[in-house]
Amino acid sequence: MDSKKLLFQLTFLCSAIFAYFPTICYGDYYASRATYYGSPECKGNPTGACGYGEYGRTVNDGQVTGVSRLYRGGAGCGACYQVKCTVPGLCSDEGATVVVTDYGEGDRTDFILSTAAYAKLARPALADKLFAYGVVDVTFARIPCKYNYNLQFQVVGKSKNPGYLAIVPLYQPGAYEIVAVQVWQEDCKEWRPMRRVYGAVFDLENPPYGIAITLRYQARVYGYGDANSWVQLNAVIPSDWKVGVTYDTGIST
């Protein structure tokens, strides 16, 4: 594609702001509302709609969020946002950096923050006053996720070697989202699609048996059109995989 044509398309894409947020461009700020939910230790929900389990409670020091329109059937799980409130005199300049780990709806809100995250919206010593509002106006932007870990895949749920495999990506880096996952079937020489069960959980019946599993995922940079980039991970899950074990992909960006 001609570079000028591509630049025009991206510029047009990022200038379009729709009520339902079908496109939110990386780095641009949008107006919305946020509230919070209570939980033990002020962290996330280990039974959240993204299927992350304990990771969904503790990732990013518990500064996580449920989202409504940004959930997008689970494709929005794992995305990172910078959220800033706009209450005069109470809100910090930095706001909170949060990870999407759940689905939730509030009073015309796009973010239902953990209390740890909601407190970050406030200036020092003013969190209690901000909590008293319950719901606040905010601006937010999609930002790249940054971790001290590589992208990992964890075997979850009712997985049972060899008949059924369910996996969930953890520490998803950058500003892209995983929209599809496929497994290589060596005997048939073909890629088999995994099903998105819910949230960020993908599964497959009768996965390859007796050999390490090669998979690939399709990545879409948030807000920039159709997914067209496949990332292949050769033998990323060993043949003796077990439920609850996490396997490192070596990918950090």
Side-chain angles (χ1 to χ4, degrees):
M1 179 183 290
D2 179 81
S3 59
K4 290 184 179 179
K5 183 177 181 181
L6 177 60
L7 179 60
F8 171 79
Q9 289 180 345
L10 293 182
T11 301
F12 173 79
L13 194 61
C14 290
S15 65
I17 302 177
F18 301 97
Y20 196 70
F21 299 141
T23 298
I24 296 203
C25 295
Y26 161 68
D28 286 355
Y29 277 87
Y30 298 84
S32 186
R33 284 157 57 88
T35 186
Y36 64 92
Y37 64 93
S39 65
E41 300 177 350
C42 304
K43 295 185 178 180
N45 179 8
T47 59
C50 288
Y52 287 138
E54 183 65 10
Y55 168 91
R57 187 181 75 86
T58 59
V59 67
N60 195 38
D61 293 328
Q63 295 174 43
V64 298
T65 186
V67 292
S68 53
R69 292 178 287 183
L70 299 172
Y71 182 74
R72 299 191 317 283
C77 290
C80 293
Y81 293 91
Q82 191 76 23
V83 182
K84 301 178 182 182
C85 68
T86 59
V87 180
L90 293 183
C91 300
S92 68
D93 293 334
E94 299 79 13
T97 298
V98 297
V99 182
V100 175
T101 60
D102 204 352
Y103 176 88
E105 297 182 7
D107 179 13
R108 294 178 290 118
T109 61
D110 284 298
F111 295 91
I112 303 182
L113 303 169
S114 65
T115 47
Y118 194 88
K120 284 285 187 178
L121 299 179
R123 291 184 177 181
L126 296 178
D128 287 346
K129 292 185 178 180
L130 196 64
F131 276 111
Y133 275 76
V135 178
V136 292
D137 291 330
V138 298
T139 60
F140 73 94
R142 176 70 160 97
I143 61 172
C145 297
K146 297 179 181 179
Y147 301 106
N148 293 323
Y149 300 95
N150 295 328
L151 172 66
Q152 302 171 11
F153 281 94
Q154 185 178 61
V155 178
V156 297
K158 297 180 180 179
S159 296
K160 186 175 181 180
N161 198 345
Y164 174 75
L165 173 65
I167 59 174
V168 63
L170 308 179
Y171 302 110
Q172 184 175 312
Y176 66 84
E177 56 192 24
I178 294 175
V179 296
V181 181
Q182 296 180 346
V183 168
W184 177 249
Q185 192 74 35
E186 177 62 27
D187 53 354
C188 299
K189 304 298 181 184
E190 67 178 9
W191 289 100
R192 294 177 59 197
M194 299 190 79
R195 176 186 63 150
R196 186 187 292 275
V197 187
Y198 69 96
V201 179
F202 292 85
D203 75 348
L204 182 69
E205 293 185 351
N206 300 314
Y209 173 62
I211 60 172
I213 294 176
T214 290
L215 61 80
R216 67 180 184 177
Y217 63 86
Q218 195 173 32
R220 176 172 60 199
V221 176
Y222 193 81
Y224 286 91
D226 295 334
N228 56 13
S229 177
W230 286 96
V231 180
Q232 184 168 324
L233 304 169
N234 295 323
V236 66
I237 299 177
S239 60
D240 61 345
W241 53 265
K242 296 177 177 62
V243 178
V245 178
T246 302
Y247 300 100
D248 197 313
T249 68
I251 294 175
S252 60
T253 57

